[in-house]
Amino acid sequence: MSESAVLVSIAIGSTLASCVFTLFADKYPSILKSVVFPLLALSGLTSMGACLLVLTGAPGFSGVLPIGLPWLFWHIHLDALAGFFLGIIGVITFSISLFAPGYIREYIHSDYSLVVLGLATGLFITGMQLVVIANDAFVFMVAWELMSVSSYFLVAYEHKESANRHAAFLYLLMAQIGALFILLGFGVLAAFAGDFAFESFRVTELTPFWAAVAFGLGLAGFGMKAGIVPLHIWLPEAHPVAPSHISALMSGVMLKVAVYGFIRLVFDLLGDLHWSWGIVLLIVGSVTALYGVLYALMQHDLKRLLAYHSVENIGIIYIGLGLSVIFFSAGQTTFGVLGLIAALYHTLNHALFKSLLFLGAGAVLSRGHERNLEHMGGLIHRMPWTALFFLIGCISISALPPFNGFVSEWLTFQTALQATMLESGVLRAVIPITAAMLALTGALAAACFVKVYGIAFLGQARSRRVRHAREASKGMVIAQGLLAGLCLLFGVLPTTTVAALNRIAYDLTGHRVAAATQQGWLWLTPVDPKVASYSAPLILLGVLIILAIWASIYLLSRRQRRIQPVPRKAPWDCGFGPLNPRMQYSATAFAMPIRHVFRSMMRLQEEKIREMDPHLLTRPVGLRYLFHAKDISWHYLYLPVERLLHAAARRVGRIQTGHLRHYLAYSFFTLVFLLWLIT
Amino acid sequence: MNTFIIWLLALVQTALLVAIAPLFASWVKRIKCYLQNRRPPVLLQPYRDLRRLFAKKVVLADNASVIFRLAPYIVCGTTIMAAAVIPILIVQIPIASIADAIVLVGTFALGRFFLALAGLDVGTSFGGMGSSREMTIAALAEPAMLMVVFTLAMLASSSNLSTIVTYVLNQELVLRPSLLFALLALILVGIAETGRFPVDNPATHLELTMIHEAMILEYSGRHLALMELAAQLKFTIYAVLIANLFFPWGISQSLAPGALLLAVFSIAAKLTVLGAFLALSETTMAKMRLFRVPTFLAVAFTLSLLGMLSFIMLEGH
């Protein structure tokens, strides 16, 4: 047994063991802190270990487990791609195992069962781990369903609120429809291969038509889970209502598992890539990215906003994949690999910063009991560490140098710039437009996170509970610090990361970008040093110099400050008397200009309610403003489908007359029909 | 030895740009005053203002957090970093390979992120209003800016600023529609990004119209000085970008003293002319309503897109 196999078995074994121990959690809640979460941490660490092993060149493993159906044992396999995604699962699992003990404290004496929470979490992580190491369609689907169903229980965990039950049902419905598509996609492959093993899928040649069908089914099935527009509809409903560490797992990891499935299907199993698939991916990706960020801007529920940003980032990943497919199909393998690397890099980055942000939102929720941005404010004074790490998350997701989000977007841009190498004029024109959409998305994301950070953490507290919030527990802070550190690390060492990702690409496609890492760890040169170069460590050096200058001025003036402290005065209020927290800019107001610009792309509901004095009907006592941005895909896609289904069901319902003789007749004619069929 | 000199030169040219930034802003103001029949302040007035502000004590608002105190340094520092990576006097500076044109846009975005946060930090409506408007305008300007960068990058097959300048310098003198469109787009983007007419008015404190001034309303002392310097420097950087990317003639390709001297004079002449043009356009235009600005930026974006498409359709290969 190779080392990686040992690590992976420990990882899965300890998650399953955590499920067993969690059964006693209701009786002895302390078992969670002392056994269950340490086991999850161990699972995370060993997953990361396996990832590091295969990415540094150690061989993976293949195996056949003696479980499953009599004629269909479970095939498992760990290669560089699977190892990479296992590593992502590991990192986030490890950090939530640090975060969760502090977070779930409030559930201990609540009406909700800790057993359900622990068990579903364990099974959920097991499911994801199994998905990435599955090597046949059967295991893949079993693991996929394990992942979907256990996460359903997590979304529905706080089931006493009807909104949560509704969200969970929507999630389960969409997950099952998605799984059906994936199953059909595998079915196409299995029909040609005559077998369910991925090994046989790989060697099978599909006809172009059926390859396109399998691609379409995969896009819809995995896209349903990943949250591409318009299949994302469950995501902003389900992610916010789960406990925050679970939201981090779902947004940070589960969506990535869907991306993994898609990459495995398209780049590994399907064989030859067709350029039109790339166009589809580009369009889907850019629409998803822009749609996600625009709706994120309109939200004032922090977790819902983050969920919409997951939609946006999935779009960015799909843009990278689309570029990769186009370049591979055109025979420009170097740039194809570059696009794939950009997509994988962004996958990693999104896992890190989105989990970080969800954990930060969780810390705010657990200490300030508030999810609504309009009631937050001034948290930087109350929760300085959370504020620092959340700031790092915001900078990373806004794609600003020198953090990690910037590197992957930069790589995507660099890939798009190579469009001049393509023969087709249409492709050469479409790719830059996609890049412009990506640029718009990035800039809007920055605006959105200025809003989030500025409204939630800066200014003055807008509600009493937030005004008295305390810093989160040590474990919660450390978990965020870890992820924030990784955001910086992967932002500053892009060359090392790209070298590791190169191995995955080589493993998967047989090609690599040699030039990217030739100039040493200091320089990232994706195509050629003359074409483009970026030195993240030197940019960081610049930022550090700035911080050092600030710190030295601050420290040097310390003595002077002691004699004469920096005067603090009330801010300018135009001479109208003291300002109060309600006079600050609100999140809705902040996004107003952008809403105005893009208003044609969404359905906005604005309501101004004037409350009148009940005794004197002409005297207003208050004015309330309600604002809600409804997802247009509900209006244009889901509601019509629902109406159609209802109408169809009513038609079909007519045969249910309620008379026994009619039902007997139905049975009789069915029997006759079947007899006629078999003779 | 040669590398030492060239690094030194790179630092010197950055320092020079930082040093002349207030002068350039003052020059534009001076021409504007002449055109509007007003008496201009002396040319060195911005330096006096900066000196006075640096000497003054800082006063903080009650609620100001560490972000508010840190932001001036980040904003000014990132702008100086941006100044360091653009070719000003010499084409091939080693520092330019730290950051290509896309990273340059990212560096500006980092500064703006902190500027907007600082606006929200104190918790007054002015700051929030300024931040909100700034981020909206930036969100619309950035795609146009990147499309300009893409057009140039596709033209020169490189997104490194040095390589782009070398390419434009060495091509034969033909009128390329893509370059023309990109130039127009970059001018519009530069106007929006640096808060000039008709997008923002740097000279006003009227709450209905101001953007940049609203964000820095609570600043004082050296913090305000840094913010002012950053704004002037950003303005100058955009001017240098326009001058050197589209009219690179005169920029030095070697380390010879004569060529360097010529480069100094040529960039000075280019900035003088550009400043005069800007003053003229600011005098003949009225400030736009805020909700007209998106249209203005849509024009910039369309122009940059046209530049890109005309390169792909007409000039590719």
Side-chain angles (χ1 to χ4, degrees):
Chain A
M1 225 159 129
S2 70
E3 286 163 5
S4 52
V6 175
L7 286 176
V8 171
S9 14
I10 296 177
I12 296 182
S14 48
T15 356
L16 286 174
S18 83
C19 297
V20 176
F21 281 108
T22 200
L23 293 175
F24 306 101
D26 273 344
K27 211 162 184 189
Y28 315 102
S30 62
I31 204 171
L32 285 174
K33 200 175 171 183
S34 55
V35 183
V36 173
F37 287 116
L39 275 172
L40 284 182
L42 175 69
S43 163
L45 280 178
T46 43
S47 304
M48 281 189 264
C51 164
L52 284 180
L53 270 184
V54 289
L55 287 188
T56 48
F61 67 88
S62 305
V64 180
L65 297 184
I67 42 177
L69 300 178
W71 66 92
L72 192 65
F73 290 138
W74 284 19
H75 295 70
I76 56 170
H77 179 64
L78 185 80
D79 56 2
L81 181 68
F84 173 68
F85 280 89
L86 197 63
I88 291 181
I89 299 172
V91 173
I92 311 302
T93 306
F94 182 71
S95 15
I96 67 140
S97 70
L98 295 177
F99 182 88
Y103 186 76
I104 60 166
R105 212 174 291 156
E106 63 180 294
Y107 292 120
I108 289 179
H109 297 295
S110 74
D111 307 337
Y112 303 116
S113 159
L114 288 174
V115 174
V116 175
L117 182 65
L119 192 64
T121 310
L123 290 176
F124 180 42
I125 296 170
T126 317
M128 295 193 290
Q129 287 168 333
L130 280 176
V131 166
V132 295
I133 61 166
N135 200 29
D136 67 53
F138 182 67
V139 189
F140 190 97
M141 289 313 298
V142 169
W144 185 267
E145 287 297 322
L146 183 63
M147 175 178 94
S148 296
V149 174
S150 53
S151 51
Y152 162 76
F153 288 105
L154 292 170
V155 173
Y157 183 62
E158 292 177 36
H159 55 85
K160 299 216 162 142
E161 292 195 24
S162 71
N164 298 4
R165 292 198 300 273
H166 178 80
F169 175 72
L170 180 68
Y171 168 55
L172 191 66
L173 181 72
M174 296 297 280
Q176 291 312 311
I177 296 174
L180 200 65
F181 279 117
I182 299 172
L183 195 63
L184 288 173
F186 281 140
V188 171
L189 281 160
F192 278 85
D195 189 4
F196 286 103
F198 285 172
E199 298 299 341
S200 357
F201 288 179
R202 273 185 202 112
V203 293
T204 315
E205 282 289 319
L206 271 69
T207 59
F209 173 73
W210 283 108
V213 169
F215 170 81
L217 289 168
L219 179 66
F222 291 115
M224 196 83 82
K225 188 63 104 185
I228 59 173
V229 172
L231 308 174
H232 68 286
I233 201 81
W234 60 274
L235 212 148
E237 307 295 326
H239 284 204
V241 302
S244 295
H245 63 290
I246 301 300
S247 312
L249 266 183
M250 289 180 74
S251 235
V253 191
M254 188 179 73
L255 306 187
K256 306 298 136 32
V257 172
V259 171
Y260 162 79
F262 189 67
I263 293 178
R264 177 66 81 195
L265 177 75
V266 174
F267 287 88
D268 193 13
L269 303 180
L270 274 182
D272 289 338
L273 301 167
H274 195 262
W275 62 269
S276 60
W277 303 354
I279 295 278
V280 171
L281 288 180
L282 275 189
I283 294 171
V284 164
S286 22
V287 169
T288 302
L290 192 58
Y291 191 101
V293 75
L294 278 179
Y295 275 94
L297 266 163
M298 298 304 121
Q299 307 305 318
H300 38 75
D301 176 334
L302 180 54
K303 287 178 75 178
R304 205 176 152 86
L305 180 147
L306 291 176
Y308 267 114
H309 269 288
S310 295
V311 174
E312 174 222 330
N313 281 283
I314 288 294
I316 297 175
I317 294 171
Y318 271 68
I319 290 177
L321 291 177
L323 289 172
S324 176
V325 168
I326 287 179
F327 281 112
F328 269 122
S329 63
Q332 305 268 6
T333 49
T334 318
F335 306 134
V337 169
L338 198 59
L340 185 60
I341 285 178
L344 287 173
Y345 208 143
H346 200 74
T347 309
L348 169 69
N349 292 341
H350 181 239
L352 292 175
F353 54 62
K354 187 49 65 67
S355 304
L356 169 59
L357 290 169
F358 263 119
L359 293 188
V364 172
L365 183 59
S366 109
R367 294 303 190 218
H369 304 282
E370 205 45 80
R371 258 167 50 185
N372 190 342
L373 281 175
E374 310 287 26
H375 297 160
M376 294 184 191
L379 282 168
I380 194 170
H381 302 289
R382 309 294 310 175
M383 308 172 78
W385 287 108
T386 306
L388 171 68
F389 299 137
F390 201 86
L391 178 65
I392 292 179
C394 289
I395 297 179
S396 305
I397 197 173
S398 309
L400 299 174
F403 285 88
N404 59 356
F406 179 75
V407 182
S408 42
E409 285 201 19
W410 187 76
L411 284 172
T412 314
F413 281 134
Q414 290 299 340
T415 318
L417 278 179
Q418 304 306 320
T420 40
M421 300 289 173
L422 293 168
E423 294 295 319
S424 150
V426 177
L427 286 180
R428 274 191 287 158
V430 166
I431 290 177
I433 293 173
T434 314
M437 298 268 271
L438 183 58
L440 180 61
T441 308
L444 286 172
C448 189
F449 278 94
V450 166
K451 168 182 121 173
V452 169
Y453 198 81
I455 302 292
F457 284 88
L458 305 178
Q460 299 181 46
R462 292 171 177 82
S463 70
R464 201 173 54 79
R465 284 188 296 193
V466 169
R467 191 172 304 126
H468 298 294
R470 286 175 298 116
E471 180 57 278
S473 72
K474 209 178 269 172
M476 290 159 94
V477 169
I478 292 174
Q480 296 176 57
L482 173 75
L483 290 172
L486 288 174
C487 280
L488 183 60
L489 189 73
F490 284 107
V492 176
L493 296 177
T495 319
T496 322
T497 319
V498 167
L501 295 178
N502 239 332
R503 203 177 288 277
I504 302 174
Y506 185 72
D507 209 32
L508 206 59
T509 63
H511 302 282
R512 59 169 88 221
V513 277
T517 50
Q518 260 172 3
Q519 306 288 314
W521 65 279
L522 207 52
W523 306 96
L524 181 65
T525 50
V527 186
D528 186 272
K530 275 219 148 351
V531 171
S533 57
Y534 169 48
S535 175
L538 290 178
I539 298 271
L540 178 72
L541 182 71
V543 174
L544 286 181
I545 291 174
I546 296 167
L547 291 179
I549 291 173
W550 175 62
S552 51
I553 290 178
Y554 189 78
L555 292 178
L556 283 178
S557 63
R558 194 169 51 184
R559 182 182 293 167
Q560 203 206 337
R561 268 206 312 280
R562 204 175 299 142
I563 307 164
Q564 202 177 27
V566 177
R568 292 263 183 181
K569 294 280 183 306
W572 171 236
D573 54 13
C574 300
F576 283 110
L579 295 168
N580 69 40
R582 294 203 46 187
M583 294 176 185
Q584 298 175 90
Y585 239 52
S586 64
T588 311
F590 188 92
M592 189 268 170
I594 296 176
R595 193 164 75 223
H596 187 84
V597 175
F598 293 97
R599 63 190 179 282
S600 55
M601 293 172 67
M602 46 189 106
R603 287 171 69 82
L604 303 173
Q605 291 181 332
E606 283 181 284
E607 253 184 287
K608 288 169 202 149
I609 305 165
R610 188 190 264 193
E611 287 162 356
M612 292 299 182
D613 190 337
H615 305 295
L616 185 63
L617 286 177
T618 48
R619 179 170 159 258
V621 287
L623 191 63
R624 297 205 311 146
Y625 173 79
L626 295 175
F627 167 75
H628 184 60
K630 272 188 92 91
D631 209 313
I632 47 169
S633 56
W634 270 117
H635 185 75
Y636 289 108
L637 182 69
Y638 289 87
L639 292 180
V641 167
E642 194 212 345
R643 272 198 293 275
L644 209 68
L645 278 179
H646 265 268
R650 263 200 306 279
R651 293 270 160 77
V652 176
R654 267 192 216 152
I655 64 171
Q656 290 183 323
T657 52
H659 294 290
L660 188 61
R661 54 180 188 278
H662 290 165
Y663 293 121
L664 285 175
Y666 294 153
S667 325
F668 175 72
F669 285 116
T670 312
L671 271 177
V672 169
F673 178 70
L674 287 176
L675 281 173
W676 173 71
L677 267 188
I678 55 172
T679 48
Chain B
M1 188 61 198
N2 222 353
T3 44
F4 174 71
I5 289 182
I6 205 161
W7 276 91
L8 192 71
L9 256 173
L11 290 180
V12 167
Q13 71 169 3
T14 311
L16 257 178
L17 194 70
V18 177
I20 64 147
L23 184 67
F24 180 61
S26 173
W27 166 250
V28 176
K29 196 183 233 174
R30 191 177 192 83
I31 300 286
K32 234 171 117 172
C33 284
Y34 282 135
L35 289 170
Q36 296 170 355
N37 266 340
R38 292 187 286 139
R39 270 185 60 191
V42 288
L43 209 49
L44 298 182
Q45 186 61 35
Y47 294 100
R48 290 183 188 167
D49 291 343
L50 286 178
R51 197 183 62 197
R52 195 188 63 222
L53 286 174
F54 270 118
K56 275 194 167 185
K57 214 164 55 183
V58 170
V59 180
L60 289 175
D62 283 332
N63 197 41
S65 74
V66 63
I67 298 277
F68 187 80
R69 302 175 126 188
L70 180 59
Y73 295 88
I74 299 254
V75 172
C76 194
T78 49
T79 319
I80 293 177
M81 266 159 68
V85 298
I86 57 169
I88 306 164
L89 300 178
I90 337 167
V91 178
Q92 292 295 350
I93 46 169
I95 228 171
S97 53
I98 291 179
D100 68 348
I102 303 174
V103 183
L104 182 77
V105 178
T107 321
F108 278 134
L110 181 66
R112 184 167 48 233
F113 191 85
F114 275 89
L115 179 63
L117 283 185
L120 283 163
D121 191 24
V122 175
T124 63
S125 288
F126 283 121
M129 188 174 67
S131 302
S132 162
R133 291 176 177 178
E134 170 85 5
M135 291 316 284
T136 307
I137 290 175
L140 300 172
E142 219 177 273
M145 176 74 185
L146 277 172
M147 284 309 267
V148 173
V149 168
F150 288 170
T151 311
L152 292 170
M154 286 194 165
L155 198 66
S157 307
S158 164
S159 59
N160 270 3
L161 286 166
S162 296
T163 322
I164 296 175
V165 172
T166 316
Y167 177 85
V168 179
L169 199 58
N170 292 337
Q171 70 166 357
E172 65 267 48
L173 208 61
V174 285
L175 186 66
R176 281 180 178 271
S178 57
L179 271 183
L180 189 65
F181 283 127
L183 169 64
L184 290 174
L186 185 61
I187 290 173
L188 296 190
V189 169
I191 285 172
E193 288 262 351
T194 54
R196 309 293 302 193
F197 265 80
V199 174
D200 189 10
N201 184 352
T204 182
H205 271 131
L206 185 67
E207 58 264 33
L208 288 178
T209 58
M210 63 183 170
I211 301 174
H212 183 259
E213 290 298 315
M215 281 186 290
I216 62 169
L217 198 61
E218 291 298 326
Y219 273 111
S220 56
R222 60 170 184 276
H223 290 163
L224 182 59
L226 286 171
M227 286 294 197
E228 295 283 356
L229 181 64
Q232 289 158 352
L233 184 56
K234 192 176 179 188
F235 181 45
T236 317
I237 289 176
Y238 267 96
V240 170
L241 274 181
I242 290 169
N244 274 355
L245 284 177
F246 296 96
F247 313 102
W249 307 293
I251 194 167
S252 167
Q253 284 178 301
S254 68
L255 289 179
L260 284 177
L261 203 64
L262 179 70
V264 171
F265 278 114
S266 78
I267 191 75
K270 280 185 264 184
L271 287 184
T272 313
V273 175
L274 203 62
F277 265 114
L278 191 74
L280 186 66
S281 83
E282 291 203 342
T283 309
T284 51
M285 245 184 289
K287 198 192 150 308
M288 263 179 195
R289 272 174 62 216
L290 182 72
F291 287 113
R292 293 289 299 278
V293 174
T295 321
F296 175 84
L297 290 167
V299 171
F301 182 73
T302 315
L303 283 172
S304 60
L305 198 65
L306 275 178
M308 161 74 70
L309 290 180
S310 61
F311 169 70
I312 285 170
M313 299 298 164
L314 306 176
E315 302 162 31
H317 294 296

